[in-house]
Amino acid sequence: TDTNPDTPTQIHIPFAWNNITLHATHPTTLRAHLTTTTPTSMSIEAMDGEGQPVFSIGELALMPVSAEQLRVKSGTEPSVLYRVDWNAVHDGSEHGRKQGGERPGAERRWAVLDGPGGLGALADSAGGVPDVVFLPCSAPYGSSATTDQGKAARTAVEAALRTVQEWLSDDRFAAARLVVVTRDAVEADPGEGVRDLAGAAVWGLIRSAQTENPDCFVLLDLDAELPRHLDPAPDFLRIALECGEPQLAVRNGAVYANRLAKDNADDVLALPDDTSYWHLGSTGSGTLENITLVPAPRAAEPLTGDQVRVAVRAVGANFRDVLIALGSYPGDAPMGSEGAGVVLEVGPDVTSVAVGDRVMGLFSEGAGPVAVTDGRTLARVPQGWTFVEAASTPIVFLTAYYGLVDLAGLRAGERLLVHSAAGGVGMAAHQIARHLGADVYGTASTGKWDTL
């Protein structure tokens, strides 16, 4: 960034990558060294934790833009944010069709592919290649395949990729369509969530295949298992194929297609116009409607002593933040005071963390994209944790640890009764007490017994 006060502020953003060389794959730690080669370019060398090269970039060309070009102004300007909406193509009723003409009259020949490698046998069968082939790509609910989501996603994507490649390489399938079927892999109804992460990964793969091979593949997400026998085929399958949409979801018999829709600007907190640094704040107390984004100039000030500057990746929000927003919390306190992120800069007295470390802890200035806090309130994120997991940990565990260790001096063999043991602090106290070797008893309301 050009910070000369006599010139307009300019920001250099990545524009073109040249002379890229990959030396190794799958490092567990990555550190990058950036060297400025010209005013508008740099070179990059990346090493693993032992200093061995991972990749090198001979030139990263930068394009200068003004801060004004990047600013999203609040007020009367229309929103430029978009979201995915799922619109009904057919509502599940006899006459509920929204588009695509009449109900299909021509009978189609269907087949369900049991797994990769079955396409050849299907094409060689007596009936020949069917008009539509369904490929189920969701792991059975409750199976062991769902216990390791990363492994399940990789397995599902690799299997789908093999089938797609075989499909495209065999001219016998040129006139047919492959319908890739998942279950609960997209959020067609707001709030329903995504249950099948492996299926969601398959959607990403097939979307790419659709852009390269139009009209070859259809993505279909169901809310139940695909019937193994399609004679006769369920009506929603016929409707889904006849409407001509490449990506569809079926919920309770209704068929939905996805569309881009402009996001409602009223649902988005506006960024302050006069600064690049901000944090979550409030214009008053007594209602959540007062929550806003306020300037945070201290986030850009030079560091002193034990201060650390962190690029925030996730923020923990809890009931304490609700009380602060409602004006019911004693004294002044920032909202979103716990979080996780990556260290950008450290003060002269900091030795516990270094630039590039993934850290979690307490942010004294509250939630924002960049936070300055005391390095003594930060700790490195344990290996394997996500930023979201790390951001939800500090306050509940610090509270429980302070009460059990610093105040009570809990020791192995002692007995502890935890009230509200299914709550945040209660679950943290349970884990810490078990770690210390105590016998733990807990209370919880009836609805939380399963959690306890």
Side-chain angles (χ1 to χ4, degrees), residues 231-262:
D231 187 18
D235 192 56
F236 67 79
L237 289 182
R238 297 177 177 272
I239 297 297
L241 290 176
E242 184 66 16
C243 72
E245 293 286 342
Q247 300 168 23
L248 295 157
V250 175
R251 297 295 184 266
N252 297 319
V255 182
Y256 297 86
N258 54 5
R259 293 287 187 273
L260 279 180
K262 279 192 174 182

Side-chain angles (χ1 to χ4, degrees), residues 163-251:
T163 302
V164 166
Q165 291 172 332
E166 184 180 356
W167 180 277
L168 293 173
S169 63
D170 194 331
D171 292 337
R172 291 175 293 179
F173 295 101
R177 273 192 290 178
L178 179 66
V179 181
V180 179
V181 184
T182 58
R183 180 181 177 187
D184 295 330
V186 299
E187 189 177 28
D189 287 331
E192 71 175 1
V194 174
R195 296 178 61 186
D196 184 6
L197 297 184
V202 170
W203 266 67
L205 169 71
I206 302 302
R207 276 197 295 259
S208 297
Q210 286 177 328
T211 62
E212 300 173 2
N213 304 273
D215 302 324
C216 287
F217 308 109
V218 175
L219 278 164
L220 180 63
D221 190 70
L222 306 179
D223 54 0
E225 291 290 345
L226 177 72
R228 305 305 297 178
H229 301 287
L230 301 177
D231 187 18
D235 192 56
F236 67 79
L237 289 182
R238 297 177 177 272
I239 297 297
L241 290 176
E242 184 66 16
C243 72
E245 293 286 342
Q247 300 168 23
L248 295 157
V250 175
R251 297 295 184 266

Side-chain angles (χ1 to χ4, degrees), residues 40-53:
T40 58
S41 66
M42 64 177 63
S43 63
I44 303 175
E45 297 288 338
M47 293 76 66
D48 61 17
E50 298 179 352
Q52 298 299 313

